Amino acid sequence: MSCKVISCDRQANQYIASVMFVGQVKEDAHSDWQNFEEIWHFTRKDGEHLWQVAGVQQF
């Protein structure tokens, strides 16, 4: 798997970051490898240390 931050912006009192993940996944030991490509969106409010998942886009 690989990942890349594709954007990070400040809007009002929070940050919004989007990260693209690309790779392969197996559901179990008997399954074939499946390609995936997703963008995960994260938010973090000012003064907080934890990022929260705000949404996932699958391609």
Side-chain angles (χ1 to χ4, degrees):
M1 174 172 38
S2 66
C3 62
K4 178 181 179 181
V5 175
I6 58 174
S7 69
C8 187
D9 298 308
R10 183 180 169 86
Q11 294 182 3
N13 66 340
Q14 68 178 355
Y15 290 93
I16 301 172
S18 297
V19 180
M20 177 177 278
F21 294 92
V22 177
Q24 294 184 320
V25 65
K26 282 179 101 172
E27 295 295 326
D28 58 48
H30 306 290
S31 299
D32 292 331
W33 287 99
Q34 299 294 318
N35 294 330
F36 73 90
E37 184 174 333
E38 299 178 343
I39 296 177
W40 287 44
H41 304 281
F42 299 90
T43 59
R44 187 187 81 182
K45 293 184 180 177
D46 286 345
E48 293 184 0
H49 299 285
L50 298 176
W51 289 85
Q52 296 182 349
V53 176
V56 176
Q57 291 177 277
Q58 296 179 330
F59 297 96

